[in-house]
Structures are given as C-alpha cells and as structure tokens.
Amino acid sequence: VFRMFIRCILYWFFSLLIFKNTLALLNNDTVLSENSTTLEISENTSITLPMVESENTENRIMNLEKKMEELLNENKNLRTKDLKTCEEIKRSPYNETGYYWLDPDSSGSPSQVYCDMEKGYTEIGHDHEETQNVTWCKGDGCFSLKLKYSVPDNQIKALIQSSDYCEQDIYFQCKMAPLKNTVFGKFYYGWWVDQKGENKYYFDGANGDDHVCGCHKDGSCTQSAFNSSCHCDSSLMPLWNSDSGKLTNKAELPVKEFKYGSFFSEHQAAKITIGKLRCSGTAKELKDTISSCSALKKRGLSVNGFYLTKDQPTSTLSVNYCDLAGEGYEEQELRIGEPVPLVTEPLVFKINSGDCSSCQSCSNGRSTGNWHNNENQRQCSTYYDMSNLNATFILSPDFEVDLQRGWIKPQNEGFYAFYFKNSYMQAYIGNTQCTNSCFQWVKKGSIIKFKTNSPNLKHASGDFIIKRL
C-alpha cells in the first residue's frame, strides 16, 4: 500500500509539471528547445510542446522506489538485529518470511539468517547443500565432505541453545554401498561428525547409541525382519537405493563433516545430501532454582564478571567468575576458578564412640616412656588417629564425612571456626592441632582428623562444630 501511494504521488507530480508547461506555452511564456514536439489542433492552428520522456520518468520512479526499499530494509534490520531467533521476530511487526540479521549470542555482530515464518524455522545454510558424489576410495573414511556454514560457530551454538527444537536432514544414496556391516562385528563405512568433532553413526533421531535410519521408525527397512535398520545396509544388488533421516540431538548438531570409505568393488557408488540446520521455538526456562554460568549466557548475558550461582536446587549460593564473552555454552568453558560459597551451613558432629587400632598401650611409672604425671591423672603424651566412628550429624553439602576413616573434609577453601570440648580427644587440621576452639585457614582438600590414645579411648566422645566464616 505504501509503494502504491508513493507511485501515485510521483505520477501526480509529473502530470502537474506537464500541465504547467502546456499553459506556459499557450501564454508564450516558454522558450522552446530542440527537444520539443508540435501538436496540430486544426488545419491552420498548432502548438509546440516540450517533450517529457516517459522512459526518464519511469527510471526516476524506479530509483525512488529502490531507495525507499533500501530505507525500509535498513529500518527493519535496525529493529531486529538484537533479536536472537526468528521466533522472536515472528512476535514483532516484521513477521514476513525472508532474510533477517540476528544476533543469537548477543555479541554485537549479527549474522544473516533465513526465517520461514509459516513453519517457525530459523534456517542456516552451508556450502554443500547440493547432492555430492562420494569419491570412490579404499581407505577407512577416506572420503571427507567438510561443511562451512554461512554463520559463525558461536552464533550457531547460541541459536541452538536459545531454541526449543533443532533438526538437520541427511539423505544417503547407495549402490551396493552400506553404511555399516554387523555380520562380522561392527564395521562402519559411513558416519558424520558432530559439533565437538566426534564421530556419529546414527542417521535419524537423537540417540547416538542406535545406528538407525528413517525407515527404522515404521519398520519399513529392507530386511527389517532380520534386524536391518537402514535400506542401504541390505542393498546387495547393483541398483540405486537410499536412506534418509532427520537428526534432532541439539547437543550434537550441526553436522560438521561426512565421511565414507572402504569401497571394495568397482560397482559400488554413493551420494550424500545434507540439509540446512533448522531451529524453532524458544528454549524452556529451568523450573528449579538453578543458576550457572551456562544458564546465565543462555538468558542473554554476555558481560564477564562475578555472579551468584547455584548448580543444584539443594546447593548453597556461591560466587563464580563467569567468562560470558567467551565461546561455547558448556559450564566448564565459561566458569573460571573455583566457586566461593556465599553461605555455609555449620556442621554439627556428635561423636559417640570410635576405634583406635593404631593406639599403643602405655606402661606404669612416674616418668617412663611416654608417660608423665599431671597431678593425679596420667595421660599418654602421644595421640593416634581414630577410625570407625559412631557419630550422628546433620549432613551438609559443604562437608564430606568419612566415618570409617574418621575424617571430615571441607569442600571449599576458606577461614573456618572450630568448637569442641573434650580433653580426651584432639582435632588436627592437616598437621595443625586444634584444642577446644580455634580459627584456621583451610585449603581445599585438607582433612580434619580426630585423635586419641589408649587410656582415653573410652572417654573420646562429644560434640564438634565447624563453620566457614
């Protein structure tokens, strides 16, 4: 409608110009140029009009329309370049099928994709979408077809993570060229390579453990009664056959490469067709109260820094440094360093009894061996590790407890406070002794051990509290 309005305005303008020039001629106000024409009104009367070339008028209108189209496209790109998927564009005023500039990873460098608004797909193509002949060769995986996509890898990963569903068609044509041979073990002739560079042997669905093609779903594969899962695996005649499938595992898409090899007869031949990557919908938000570096980036954050994280619903809040501007969406790629818990639950540990297999008995005497007098109470001066503790405690995710070996291990490095009162036991943080109460910096992986000696073993019980400050 807007274009029709512009065209009408332009035609009205040039019609008015012609009419004005005609009036000027009739009033002898215009000097005729060589580009003029004579209009005969009667036998003795005629007027001369300047020529207005219709071709120039059309060209001017076309140029104006072209510039208007460019302005409209520029305006559309400016309004959509920060969106991540075609699903988001579909909910905007610009919901027509066509090419758009999108920025799935919020990097500020949008890429052009094709939006099929009727089916709700965001489509990304590659440089080998036409059917490719598989070159005859003898080696294992000797034929290689590497795909280069029209959008950078980081944008593709972001699109997949932002979408609810992704798929990619694969079509293999064969003439006595199987994809696998299971008669003598498992031998694969053809496979595709996923986004992480790993070989994949399935050609339909999302289960990497099953080597199946599209015909397996309805049991229509050739010789399916003999557990055949692809047409080409049972194609033994020198006639063309084919297998097709739809790959839907988001964690492995897109297809980066197709490989085939080990031809053994000159009558064999094969062709491969790999379709565009198509994604639709919006990834569902996690229902549980979980916040990780990966989840933050999927939600559109792209600024590096320290963030509050919670890996599991039962985990305590932690502070992590997230490299959100980096590539990838895996947690191990984005998280830098160890998490620092924001809140640590204290561990209340009540020891009822325990063993001391390494304890050595002490002999009587006022000043012999390891004995010494302390008023009327005699004690061994050497303490030994306790084991097989009989203890009760409230389990905390911030501590690991091993009753059999008699130790506690804090899960995070930090400054800890220890409280306990029992003169018949001692606690050791590494090689540092803690009596009654103490404050100690504990490194990650350090072990807190309980020690006693032979005469004190039956009294070695009591409460022990540890908390990270």
Side-chain angles (χ1 to χ4, degrees):
V1 174
F2 182 76
R3 293 177 183 173
M4 291 289 294
F5 175 74
I6 294 297
R7 185 181 285 270
C8 290
I9 291 295
L10 293 173
Y11 274 118
W12 176 82
F13 173 76
F14 285 109
S15 298
L16 182 62
L17 182 62
I18 294 172
F19 179 71
K20 183 178 179 181
N21 289 339
T22 303
L23 289 179
L25 285 171
L26 292 175
N27 294 326
N28 295 322
D29 291 335
T30 303
V31 178
L32 298 180
S33 65
E34 59 182 10
N35 294 322
S36 60
T37 184
T38 301
L39 176 64
E40 293 184 1
I41 298 177
S42 63
E43 183 176 353
N44 299 319
T45 307
S46 64
I47 60 174
T48 302
L49 299 175
M51 292 183 62
V52 179
E53 299 180 6
S54 60
E55 183 177 352
N56 290 338
T57 303
E58 283 294 330
N59 288 337
R60 291 177 182 176
I61 293 175
M62 290 177 62
N63 289 335
L64 288 173
E65 288 181 342
K66 184 178 179 180
K67 291 180 180 179
M68 183 62 65
E69 186 74 23
E70 291 175 354
L71 289 173
L72 290 174
N73 285 332
E74 185 176 350
N75 182 59
K76 178 182 71 174
N77 293 335
L78 288 173
R79 290 178 177 271
T80 62
K81 67 181 180 65
D82 293 329
L83 301 181
K84 299 178 181 299
T85 67
C86 295
E87 185 72 21
E88 295 182 9
I89 292 181
K90 191 175 181 179
R91 297 193 292 265
S92 74
Y94 302 96
N95 52 12
E96 295 182 356
T97 295
Y99 286 95
Y100 291 84
W101 289 89
L102 298 178
D103 191 8
D105 71 343
S106 302
S107 63
S109 301
S111 299
Q112 192 176 51
V113 302
Y114 183 80
C115 293
D116 186 339
M117 295 304 184
E118 293 183 6
K119 297 180 180 179
Y121 282 134
T122 304
E123 296 186 354
I124 297 178
H126 55 81
D127 58 347
H128 290 296
E129 294 179 18
E130 300 296 326
T131 299
Q132 305 292 319
N133 289 316
V134 176
T135 305
W136 198 98
C137 57
K138 292 184 178 181
D140 184 22
C142 51
F143 171 80
S144 173
L145 179 67
K146 294 183 178 181
L147 306 182
K148 183 178 180 181
Y149 287 84
S150 59
V151 171
D153 287 346
N154 59 312
Q155 295 282 31
I156 294 177
K157 290 180 181 179
L159 171 65
I160 292 174
Q161 294 292 339
S162 301
S163 303
D164 181 53
Y165 171 82
C166 292
E167 67 177 30
Q168 194 164 11
D169 293 329
I170 189 166
Y171 181 58
F172 182 72
Q173 296 171 268
C174 58
K175 186 167 68 171
M176 295 180 63
L179 288 168
K180 75 175 185 303
N181 186 339
T182 58
V183 177
F184 304 102
K186 281 190 176 181
F187 184 83
Y188 296 100
Y189 295 93
W191 61 88
W192 56 277
V193 180
D194 71 1
Q195 60 166 277
K196 298 178 182 177
E198 298 177 357
N199 296 338
K200 300 298 171 182
Y201 303 97
Y202 68 98
F203 287 80
D204 187 64
N207 189 352
D209 296 329
D210 291 336
H211 173 89
V212 297
C213 298
C215 61
H216 180 70
K217 286 185 293 189
D218 56 8
S220 63
C221 300
T222 306
Q223 296 187 10
S224 59
F226 297 95
N227 297 322
S228 175
S229 57
C230 293
H231 290 305
C232 290
D233 293 345
S234 304
S235 183
L236 305 177
M237 299 295 291
L239 300 173
W240 282 100
N241 206 339
S242 64
D243 276 302
S244 62
K246 196 179 294 292
L247 306 174
T248 58
N249 192 330
K250 287 173 54 181
E252 297 173 347
L253 291 175
V255 176
K256 302 292 287 185
E257 184 180 3
F258 176 79
K259 306 196 77 172
Y260 195 88
S262 299
F263 284 98
F264 54 85
S265 170
E266 60 182 11
H267 299 291
Q268 291 179 285
K271 299 178 182 180
I272 184 66
T273 308
I274 300 174
K276 298 178 179 180
L277 174 68
R278 297 185 177 94
C279 293
S280 62
T282 303
K284 297 178 177 60
E285 294 288 340
L286 295 173
K287 295 181 180 179
D288 297 322
T289 310
I290 295 176
S291 178
S292 62
C293 294
S294 178
L296 290 170
K297 187 169 183 179
K298 290 175 185 177
R299 292 171 187 150
L301 295 176
S302 59
V303 179
N304 296 342
F306 288 96
Y307 291 87
L308 290 177
T309 59
K310 189 176 183 182
D311 294 336
Q312 299 296 331
T314 57
S315 301
T316 57
L317 282 173
S318 299
V319 178
N320 272 285
Y321 187 85
C322 299
D323 183 20
L324 300 182
E327 295 185 1
Y329 281 80
E330 299 295 331
E331 189 67 17
Q332 58 268 25
E333 297 175 315
L334 302 176
R335 180 174 292 187
I336 306 298
E338 297 295 332
V340 179
L342 190 65
V343 178
T344 301
E345 295 295 329
L347 177 65
V348 180
F349 196 80
K350 181 177 179 61
I351 299 176
N352 302 312
S353 63
D355 296 338
C356 184
S357 58
S358 61
C359 282
Q360 298 180 9
S361 59
C362 302
S363 58
N364 270 331
R366 292 183 60 83
S367 180
T368 60
N370 293 328
W371 285 78
H372 65 275
N373 288 332
N374 182 9
E375 297 181 355
N376 296 325
Q377 186 178 14
R378 295 184 303 178
Q379 285 184 299
C380 281
S381 59
T382 303
Y383 280 65
Y384 300 92
D385 292 343
M386 295 181 68
S387 61
N388 297 321
L389 298 178
N390 178 0
T392 55
F393 58 93
I394 300 175
L395 186 64
S396 170
D398 301 304
F399 300 92
E400 180 183 351
V401 178
D402 190 324
L403 295 177
Q404 184 178 1
R405 289 185 283 183
W407 54 251
I408 299 172
K409 182 189 292 184
Q411 296 297 295
N412 299 285
E413 185 174 337
F415 198 63
Y416 286 81
F418 301 87
Y419 307 92
F420 76 101
K421 278 191 176 183
N422 190 318
S423 59
Y424 302 100
M425 283 194 309
Q426 294 178 354
Y428 280 79
I429 302 99
N431 295 321
T432 303
Q433 180 184 346
C434 182
T435 303
N436 295 331
S437 64
C438 62
F439 298 92
Q440 181 72 33
W441 181 268
V442 178
K443 294 183 178 180
K444 183 177 181 180
S446 296
I447 292 176
I448 301 168
K449 294 278 296 183
F450 297 98
K451 296 190 177 188
T452 188
N453 54 31
S454 182
N456 293 332
L457 180 59
K458 62 181 178 180
H459 303 294
S461 62
D463 294 335
F464 180 79
I465 301 174
I466 176 173
K467 178 177 174 59
R468 184 178 183 274
L469 301 178

